Amino acid sequence: DAGVIQSPRHEVTEMGQEVTLRCKPISGHNSLFWYRQTMMRGLELLIYFNNNVPIDDSGMPEDRFSAKMPNASFSTLKIQPSEPRDSAVYFCASTLTSGVPFTDTQYFGPGTRLTVL
Amino acid sequence: RKEVEQDPGPFNVPEGATVAFNCTYSNSASQSFFWYRQDCRKEPKLLMSVYSSGNEDGRFTAQLNRASQYISLLIRDSKLSDSATYLCVVNRGTYKYIFGTGTRLKVLA
């Protein structure tokens, strides 16, 4: 079975450019999470989707960040314009929310390592 | 104070040793607890969920102490392949999984 797929795996861009990160969750999963990981702050939740609907985007740092999930098999995280402080690893994770909420395993994609110069 | 706190380590132990990590959480409403493993430059992967009675999976044992609000992970007979960062994860019964910043383990030959 294919796991969570993310692209690109690495992205190097210059300050001010638009960056789009992509995620394909595991088929059949109904919850999708975008996280950002840095050495200083660890894993931080950016946004959570349930059944393709954004439920909580309070972790999105600022208006430069936006996320969409147009269907159950695809999500994007966009940064426009990008800044050096956005450099981090961005993970997408999915899970199937079952009868006992939020005891479920989160499956992470391989991440996108973003460097903004 | 962070909601989930871990000793960052590193813990350097010889092969075959037993090593234990603790993780403390501040919110008494926390309901679900997990240990994830993250290898260098890889994604986190579930190692084990932590149940109230404690649970064991091979060389790994996880314990939950609700009164003192901590969970622990014990690794027996350490292998070189156990070298990784171990993330403590707590959930309050919502979609918010709170991750600790991890404890680094290095098993030495």
Side-chain angles (χ1 to χ4, degrees):
Chain A
D1 287 342
V4 176
I5 299 171
Q6 289 187 248
S7 64
R9 296 290 303 276
H10 301 272
E11 177 81 36
V12 180
T13 190
E14 292 189 346
M15 184 173 65
Q17 296 299 305
E18 177 180 299
V19 175
T20 299
L21 312 181
R22 297 172 177 80
C23 174
K24 177 178 169 56
I26 292 173
S27 177
H29 282 189
N30 58 2
S31 293
L32 184 139
F33 305 77
W34 280 101
Y35 290 93
R36 177 170 68 176
Q37 186 175 39
T38 60
M39 288 291 292
M40 292 300 297
R41 301 172 69 91
L43 269 164
E44 300 174 287
L45 177 66
L46 298 177
I47 187 168
Y48 163 64
F49 291 88
N50 182 255
N51 292 321
N52 314 337
V53 175
I55 303 299
D56 183 355
D57 65 355
S58 61
M60 299 284 259
E62 46 199 273
D63 292 345
R64 299 184 296 106
F65 285 68
S66 62
K68 294 182 180 179
M69 191 164 187
N71 57 62
S73 59
F74 185 64
S75 177
T76 59
L77 177 68
K78 186 177 292 187
I79 308 172
Q80 166 64 18
S82 58
E83 296 183 2
R85 60 190 167 129
D86 302 331
S87 298
V89 182
Y90 291 81
F91 288 105
C92 173
S94 72
T95 188
L96 175 62
T97 301
S98 64
V100 183
F102 309 109
T103 60
D104 312 290
T105 302
Q106 289 198 318
Y107 294 88
F108 284 78
T112 295
R113 188 169 297 273
L114 174 65
T115 302
V116 183
L117 303 174
Chain B
R1 184 188 172 191
K2 293 180 180 177
E3 186 165 347
V4 177
E5 297 212 61
Q6 296 183 251
D7 182 340
F11 285 61
N12 295 323
V13 301
E15 262 188 301
T18 295
V19 61
F21 312 133
N22 277 350
C23 163
T24 58
Y25 60 94
S26 60
N27 194 314
S28 59
S30 300
Q31 297 185 15
S32 307
F33 308 88
F34 311 85
W35 283 103
Y36 275 70
R37 171 192 169 130
Q38 186 172 24
D39 293 295
C40 187
R41 301 179 81 85
K42 299 283 190 179
E43 71 273 23
K45 292 184 179 179
L46 179 69
L47 179 65
M48 53 199 306
S49 301
V50 186
Y51 303 117
S52 296
S53 55
N55 46 302
E56 187 174 310
D57 183 2
R59 298 181 293 108
F60 298 84
T61 300
Q63 295 277 355
L64 167 63
N65 186 316
R66 285 190 185 272
S68 300
Q69 295 185 195
Y70 74 86
I71 66 173
S72 64
L73 178 67
L74 181 78
I75 306 175
R76 289 181 298 278
D77 189 22
S78 300
K79 312 290 184 190
L80 294 175
S81 57
D82 294 333
S83 297
T85 296
Y86 291 84
L87 304 173
C88 170
V89 186
V90 171
N91 185 289
R92 282 182 256 146
T94 72
Y95 50 84
K96 287 190 177 179
Y97 293 79
I98 311 298
F99 285 76
T101 51
T103 296
R104 278 181 54 208
L105 171 66
K106 190 167 184 179
V107 181
L108 308 171

